[in-house]
Each structure stands twice: as structure tokens, then as C-alpha cells.
Amino acid sequence: MRASERVNERRLWQRHVDMAKLGGLPRGGVNRQALSPEDAAARRLLAEWAAARGFDVYGDPIGNLYVRRAGTEADAPPVLTGSHMDSQPTGGKYDGMYGVLAGFEALEALEDAGIRTRRPVAVIAWMNEEGSRFQPGAMGSAVWGGDYALSAMLDVTDRAGVRLGDALKDTLSVAPCRIVPDFDRRFHAYIEAHIEQGPRLEADRRTIGVVTGIQGSQRYTVDISGEEAHAGTTPLRVRKDALRSAIAVVDALQRHMNDPADVVRFTVGRFECRPGSPNTVPGHVHFTVDFRHPDATVLARLGDGIERVVAASVAPCTAKVVRITDVAPTVFDARIVDLVRAKSEALGLPNMDMPSGAGHDAMHVAPHGPAGMIFVPCERGISHNEAEAATPADLAAGARVLVDCLAELANE
Ligand code: HGY
Ligand code: MN
Ligand code: MN
């Protein structure tokens, strides 16, 4: 029996319904930011489900959560899957959560099919993929992969000044689990299931995206300093208006990033003006820069120009530019890509090869071993939006491809 025959569409859908209540928002989305009480509740619920099936649950020092199904060879490098349970502030019910629940469904289907595997199979709920509360994003997978230092990340603070290490302690007090002392990067293969977060699968009427890679990305913070002054008495000629300068800087950056082919993805997602009083000239503006491109040389050229562009447009204020992340484009392992395509074909599922515009934890796993991803459609490609939607049938189809891939890899 193929494990995919025991994927249970209704069970998988219900688990999404149950998880969507944790941090649920009135318009149907979720706000389940990293290490929030809502995130802790999701970790606790996943651990309860895992314990009920006899799977081993444990965490690592940065708060990644592992659900592991034993193999006949306990110390064989495991096959890994997973994604993230944290969300954007006005996020959707499927971004990240689908990859964790599809991975959990795969473990259950292996159990229900009575399939023993030589290698353990583990689902990882990576900590803080979204990076909206604590920057940078994909933090848990990046620390696991050795790209960011654990101690530095534990000291990161959110906008309320809460230290990540303290938020992690609070989370573990609500959702306790065994913590392994170190990061174990030995694995045989990694496959992450995720909604596409774009319109192509739906437009081309395909059920499965055979993901070939992930475009590169860079993120920056820009802090502009001027001088607070009285709105009624200060002439323009002596003002150091941080908002006025910030508008000029963002405009100059948009021109710098301009791409007639519309391949560059440039976003200023956070923009804070202080003190935010109607009758005080703003003295400080903080904003974020996120841009992406599939070509590493274009990414480097655009990134190397940012400081110069900001300096040339910020007068009479001053600016501080800090690069937060620089993630190279990811090319997935051809054997994993071929396996995802072959299992989709074997299940009679229409599929297409495609790159990922969105970033994923797989970016930080791929440099350490064979990795790949499986996409399923989401309605109109909408994501990072409460309207994000997917169908029970598509979610189950992705889980069927996933479990057949994992079963084959776990017996290699
Ligand atoms: O930003 C990203 O690409 C991911 O969805 N967090
Ligand atoms: Mn995601
Ligand atoms: Mn996301």
C-alpha cells in the first residue's frame, strides 16, 4: 500500500480549522506572531496531537519544534519536512501552517498504512519564519543552519523591547517540551510543502508546483534623523523634517529599483514616523526595505547601491542604513525536484515546474543537503492577507505527493 492512500483529506482540513482558531481574526485570517501566546497555543496543540500518535516531540535551543516518527534505524540521518506556524499580523490560515500539517498528516498516513521506514521522519515547525515581530525572518532555520548566531538572535528585541530569549522562555512555560542541547544538521533529505502564494498554479489549472528554487532577497532598515520642531513657527528653510527626507529617499530608492521587466520585487513594508504628533515636525523616521531577484548579480548590484542612493537624497537630515539579511538564490537538488514530479505524475496530479517568489525555511536547509518543495494552489494567489484560501482537495493532494516522497527517501 502506498502511504498516500491513507492521507485523510477531512482530518487534514479539520486540523487547519482547529489551528486557525489560535490567533483567529474577524475577517478569517490569523495573527499568530512568533513566540506570542497564540504561537505557544499552536505549539501546544501540535504536541498534543503528536503525543496522541506516539510521536516524539522535542525542541532545539532557538525554539524550532520537532515531531519525529521513529525509523527501524534510530541513528540513521532522518528525512525532514516542515514549515512554520507563525504568521504575519494579518496573515492567512495556510501560509506555513500547511507545511507543518501536511508533514504531520504524512506521519499519520505512514502510521495508518503500517509502513515502517529505515530512517526516522521528522516534521519541523521552524521558529519565526515571518520575521514580522522579531527580525530577521526565517530565523529558526537560519540558526539551525549556522547562518545566524544563536546568542545574537536570543538578544533580538521586538518593538516593545521584549527580548526573543525571554519570549522563548515564556513560550516554553506554556508549551513545555524536551529541549536537545544542540542543533543536529545530519539529514538525508528535506521537502517542504507550502501554498504557492502566487497565481500561476490556479491560472494554469495545475494542482502541484514542482519547485525548482527560491529567488534571492535582501532586507535593510533605514533610520532617518532630523530635528523635531514647532509646526507653526519653524520656516521650511531651517527645518530638518525627517518625513520630508524619508519621502525623498523612498522615491530615490524606487527609481533605483525600477525594472521595466517587472522582475525586481521592492517593498517598503514598515514606515514609522516619530513623535507622530500633528503639530511637531517629525524628527525621526524608521522604515524597512525588502527586495528580491532570482539573479545574484542583480541582487548584489542593487544592494550595493542602497547606501549611496540614501546618502544622495536624505539632506538636510542624516540616515543610518543597516543590512539585516542577504539570502542568495536557492537552487533545489535535481533529484528531489525529479522525485516530486515523479510522485505527482504517479498520482495523476497535473503539475508544473516553477520557482518560488516567496522565501521559505528551505533556503537555510538546502545548503546542507538535498532539499526541495511542493506547492499547492491558493485562491487568486493571495497571501499575507486574511483572504488567503485553499481547498481541502488541493491540500490533501500536496500531502499525498509529500508522503510518497518521504516514504521513498526514508527507505533509501
Ligand atoms: O517574506 C517571505 O517571502 C515569506 O513569506 N516570509
Ligand atoms: Mn511561509
Ligand atoms: Mn509568509
Side-chain angles (χ1 to χ4, degrees):
M1 172 188 296
R2 282 186 307 194
S4 52
E5 295 170 56
R6 299 308 300 269
V7 165
N8 182 323
E9 177 178 318
R10 191 197 45 73
R11 173 174 66 188
L12 178 61
W13 182 253
Q14 186 56 46
R15 293 211 190 282
H16 281 85
V17 170
D18 294 343
M19 281 289 188
K21 292 173 188 150
L22 307 177
L25 294 172
R27 287 184 298 163
V30 291
N31 179 8
R32 193 171 50 233
Q33 297 186 54
L35 303 178
S36 62
E38 299 78 16
D39 189 26
R43 296 165 69 101
R44 194 175 54 228
L45 183 56
L46 182 68
E48 278 166 19
W49 290 340
R53 294 293 323 231
F55 301 142
D56 183 22
V57 180
Y58 58 95
D60 69 18
I62 192 62
N64 297 316
L65 185 63
Y66 302 74
V67 175
R68 184 181 174 116
R69 180 176 186 261
T72 54
E73 274 184 43
D75 60 358
V79 171
L80 302 178
T81 184
S83 194
H84 59 95
M85 298 201 289
D86 67 299
S87 80
Q88 288 286 323
T90 53
K93 295 191 279 278
Y94 308 97
D95 176 2
M97 184 55 80
Y98 171 58
V100 173
L101 295 183
F104 189 77
E105 179 61 31
L107 298 193
E108 294 204 273
L110 287 167
E111 281 293 291
D112 297 346
I115 293 174
R116 299 309 313 151
T117 59
R118 186 166 81 79
R119 301 174 180 280
V121 181
V123 187
I124 305 174
W126 298 107
M127 195 282 296
N128 189 29
E129 190 278 343
E130 293 292 4
S132 49
R133 178 186 179 192
F134 297 104
Q135 290 192 67
M139 185 190 280
S141 51
V143 171
W144 174 89
D147 297 318
Y148 304 154
L150 173 63
S151 55
M153 293 302 111
L154 291 173
D155 285 337
V156 164
T157 55
D158 66 10
R159 281 185 279 174
V162 177
R163 191 178 154 273
L164 186 137
D166 297 333
L168 180 53
K169 269 198 207 100
D170 293 348
T171 296
L172 292 173
S173 67
V174 171
C177 67
R178 171 168 65 86
I179 304 293
V180 295
D182 215 337
F183 300 99
D184 181 358
R185 279 207 291 271
R186 290 176 323 124
F187 69 97
H188 182 60
Y190 174 85
I191 300 183
E192 178 170 351
H194 206 286
I195 54 168
E196 178 198 342
Q197 299 179 295
R200 289 187 57 195
L201 287 174
E202 184 182 68
D204 288 22
R205 297 185 185 289
R206 307 292 172 88
T207 308
I208 299 293
V210 181
V211 189
T212 53
I214 302 175
Q215 67 176 340
S217 64
Q218 290 190 11
R219 292 195 186 150
Y220 294 76
T221 57
V222 180
D223 283 279
I224 294 182
S225 301
E227 185 178 54
E228 290 166 12
H230 194 294
T233 59
T234 314
L236 183 56
R237 66 177 179 280
V238 298
R239 283 188 182 197
K240 290 182 180 171
D241 182 335
L243 179 65
R244 205 178 161 84
S245 290
I247 291 168
V249 166
V250 171
D251 179 57
L253 286 171
Q254 281 168 333
R255 281 183 274 112
H256 175 62
M257 295 285 177
N258 182 48
D259 172 16
D262 195 7
V263 175
V264 171
R265 297 281 178 269
F266 169 68
T267 309
V268 174
R270 179 176 289 165
F271 191 96
E272 293 162 351
C273 176
R274 288 203 296 270
S277 166
N279 47 2
T280 296
V281 174
H284 183 85
V285 167
H286 168 87
F287 67 84
T288 58
V289 168
D290 172 317
F291 71 94
R292 319 200 187 183
H293 198 279
D295 180 331
T297 47
V298 174
L299 214 60
R301 175 175 58 78
L302 291 173
D304 292 348
I306 285 186
E307 294 232 27
R308 170 179 50 75
V309 170
V310 171
S313 50
V314 72
C317 298
T318 59
K320 183 172 164 245
V321 179
V322 178
R323 182 153 72 189
I324 305 289
T325 61
D326 179 3
V327 183
T330 298
V331 178
F332 285 135
D333 181 283
R335 192 171 72 85
I336 303 295
V337 173
D338 292 346
L339 179 65
V340 170
R341 191 183 310 108
K343 295 302 183 188
S344 302
E345 293 292 331
L347 287 164
L349 294 169
N351 61 85
M352 60 191 271
D353 287 19
M354 60 190 299
S356 175
H360 301 283
D361 291 301
M363 301 178 299
H364 295 297
V365 181
H368 302 284
M373 291 188 74
I374 298 167
F375 276 170
V376 295
C378 59
E379 200 175 296
R380 293 186 298 121
I382 300 284
S383 184
H384 285 194
N385 182 313
E386 289 194 57
E388 185 183 276
T391 67
D394 285 345
L395 299 181
R400 290 192 183 94
V401 174
L402 178 65
V403 73
D404 281 350
C405 290
L406 300 178
E408 179 161 322
L409 290 163
N411 278 322
E412 285 180 341

